[in-house]
Amino acid sequence: MLNIAVLVSGGGTNLQAIIDQVEDGRLPDVKICAVISNNAGAFALERAKKHGIPACCISPKNYETRAAFNKALVGALDEISPDLIVLAGFLVVIPPEMVEKYEGRIINIHPSLIPSFCGTGYYGLKVHEAALKRGVKISGATVHIVDSGTDTGPILIQKAVEVKEDDTPEVLQRRIMEEAEWKILPQAIGMFAEAKKKGEL
Ligand code: GRF
């Protein structure tokens, strides 16, 4: 069984895609052990609770220093001891000690075809605004391993999505979620589950 912790900040539609595939048997060897959000109001936390998944908020706002937050987050993850950490729209800088400790076992979903429209400042709708401003005809999503940079780790899966003439950032965002993110993130998790089954993780 691949035990995963999912880190979220917002609506949780990527989390929901993982939950759905675990529950409908498309991800038979995966268990979502915990959901952690930096945002107490994240609807993703409601989604977790509705499905009986332990969920909590660990927010930098609740700690005197960033170092104290980092310690609390890593401590919580060490308690869970996941095989894989999934960043599903997690908008907090990942503690360096976490990247080191879970090297190769943290993945992130980014709503563009990296190396386009990624890195510092490219998150949420900003990614799609930049893609539309540049006039690309194809965008998409990327799942990559998290390293010490921002959206710079090894790419695992990408899926292209057509950009349409009259797209707004919101319409493009939704199409990329539906046609790419909600497919390739569970697919990537499945790759790790297979690796664990083979004793390769
Ligand atoms: C997604 O667009 C994802 O690509 C980005 O943040 C958004 C999270 O959306 N990293 P949700 O919380 O999964 O609905």
Side-chain angles (χ1 to χ4, degrees), residues 5-160:
V6 185
L7 275 51
V8 296
S9 296
T13 64
N14 277 282
L15 168 66
Q16 189 65 54
I18 301 164
I19 291 170
D20 292 347
Q21 292 210 19
V22 168
E23 292 187 347
D24 70 15
R26 284 178 285 172
L27 283 176
D29 303 309
V30 174
K31 180 171 190 275
I32 306 172
C33 296
V35 171
I36 298 174
S37 179
N38 63 300
N39 169 13
F43 188 66
L45 289 173
E46 295 309 310
R47 294 180 190 270
K49 288 170 187 162
K50 186 178 167 196
H51 290 268
I53 300 166
C56 70
C57 173
I58 301 177
S59 169
K61 292 177 189 158
N62 299 334
Y63 295 88
E64 289 286 309
T65 64
R66 176 55 62 137
F69 163 75
N70 289 350
K71 188 166 184 281
L73 180 60
V74 176
L77 286 165
D78 288 350
E79 283 284 303
I80 298 158
S81 182
D83 298 306
L84 180 69
I85 297 169
V86 179
L87 307 185
F90 191 59
L91 296 178
V92 169
V93 173
I94 302 302
E97 58 268 42
M98 180 174 146
V99 176
E100 195 177 323
K101 196 167 213 177
Y102 292 92
E103 187 181 0
R105 295 191 292 131
I106 309 175
I107 62 174
N108 180 51
I109 178 85
H110 182 76
S112 75
L113 296 175
I114 289 174
S116 298
F117 314 117
C118 66
T120 304
Y122 286 102
Y123 57 90
L125 280 177
K126 292 176 187 289
V127 174
H128 308 294
E129 287 163 2
L132 291 171
K133 186 176 178 193
R134 183 64 186 84
V136 296
K137 303 307 175 190
I138 300 289
S139 189
T142 302
V143 178
H144 64 92
I145 298 282
V146 173
D147 65 5
S148 57
T150 302
D151 304 328
T152 51
I155 291 172
L156 293 177
I157 305 176
Q158 292 188 302
K159 186 163 176 46

